[in-house]
Amino acid sequence: VISPIVVRPVEGVFEIIAGHHRYEACRRLGHSVVPVQIRQMTDADAAKALASDNFVRRDLSDYERYKHSKMLTDNGFCKTGREVASVLGVSPAKVTQINSFEKFPVGAKAVLEIHPEIIGADAAYSIKDLALKEPDLFTEAVVQVSEGKLQQSKIESWMNSRLSSGKLRVSRGYRSEVKIERPGLGRPIKLTFTDGEAKIQADGLNPEKLKKLIEENLNSLLR
């Protein structure tokens, strides 16, 4: 171990701040003693040191960097993007790009938790507005990327193509929802799609007219 593991005392025990991988390597090799540096640190200092160590020593994806940035700001350890940039050793502009993941819908973030490397900060920054405007379709696009069916650079054009054509593509096991609004409607009409079902929720629809419209357009509706 060339560089000692950094620890801090916390309630009678020592918490590892930097050197988790070195510690684990020593443990697996059967060592009972490892060199450490003991430092007195506040929670804020420890969080910053931990983020900095992980950022430097690991080949992190941009989504993982976003999670570090969010941890630092959510806990009040860093007040500004410039402070986050200083801790992580990147430019403030890079932090702005990384934080674009914050605008991603929950479903897309769930995919990135499993496949954090599939979308970079540059791409996240360029498609963040689409993520806000069309969260369901955006999540489907991220699923497509995770399955190797779509490149991250093609997400915007893929979504624009679906939006311009008015078509929705529903993946197996996926749920998508669309709202149709018009002046005079008390509430928006809501269409919910799954891979085997479609539902319409609306006030005042005429069932007979709806049935007739579906029958007349059945061939064009079926995929």
Side-chain angles (χ1 to χ4, degrees):
V1 179
I2 297 174
S3 300
I5 296 166
V6 178
V7 299
R8 69 164 180 160
V10 178
E11 298 180 354
V13 297
F14 290 104
E15 177 186 22
I16 297 175
I17 303 302
H20 292 80
H21 292 159
R22 280 166 283 166
Y23 171 82
E24 181 61 20
C26 289
R27 187 189 68 79
R28 293 188 183 188
L29 288 169
H31 296 302
S32 59
V33 178
V34 293
V36 302
Q37 287 183 354
I38 302 174
R39 295 183 183 176
Q40 299 294 332
M41 290 184 173
T42 65
D43 289 345
D45 291 337
K48 291 178 181 179
L50 176 61
S52 180
D53 182 67
N54 283 342
F55 203 85
V56 170
R57 295 181 182 277
R58 289 184 56 197
D59 185 17
L60 295 180
S61 69
D62 285 337
Y63 181 72
E64 289 170 313
R65 292 184 172 102
Y66 151 73
K67 292 173 66 177
H68 274 295
S69 174
K70 183 173 174 61
M71 179 272 292
L72 291 169
T73 54
D74 284 356
N75 289 284
F77 301 143
C78 290
K79 303 296 184 183
T80 66
R82 189 170 295 278
E83 290 181 7
V84 173
S86 177
V87 171
L88 300 184
V90 298
S91 68
K94 182 67 174 180
V95 172
T96 298
Q97 288 184 325
I98 290 170
N99 288 341
S100 297
F101 287 106
E102 179 66 22
K103 297 184 178 181
F104 282 24
V106 173
K109 288 180 180 177
V111 176
L112 289 171
E113 287 292 332
I114 302 172
H115 306 281
E117 75 291 343
I118 61 174
I119 296 179
D122 290 347
Y125 183 78
S126 66
I127 57 179
K128 64 183 185 304
D129 292 335
L130 278 173
L132 287 173
K133 292 178 182 177
E134 299 291 339
D136 292 332
L137 190 59
F138 183 86
T139 298
E140 186 181 351
V142 174
V143 170
Q144 296 281 327
V145 174
S146 72
E147 294 175 349
K149 299 176 182 177
L150 183 68
Q151 297 178 359
Q152 64 168 332
S153 60
K154 303 294 184 182
I155 290 178
E156 184 172 3
S157 59
W158 184 89
M159 288 184 63
N160 287 334
S161 174
R162 295 303 183 278
L163 292 170
S164 63
S165 66
K167 296 179 181 179
L168 287 175
R169 184 177 178 183
V170 182
S171 302
R172 178 172 295 277
Y174 182 72
R175 182 178 182 275
S176 184
E177 186 177 288
V178 175
K179 291 183 180 179
I180 301 174
E181 298 181 347
R182 179 182 296 177
L185 283 178
R187 289 190 299 177
I189 296 173
K190 185 166 73 173
L191 310 178
T192 305
F193 301 86
T194 66
D195 54 330
E197 188 178 39
K199 293 182 180 180
I200 301 176
Q201 291 177 268
D203 295 330
L205 277 183
N206 186 310
E208 290 299 319
K209 289 184 178 181
L210 178 61
K211 178 176 178 292
K212 185 178 179 180
L213 281 172
I214 293 175
E215 290 174 344
E216 292 175 349
N217 296 277
L218 190 58
N219 290 334
S220 60
L221 288 171
L222 291 175
R223 292 180 294 159

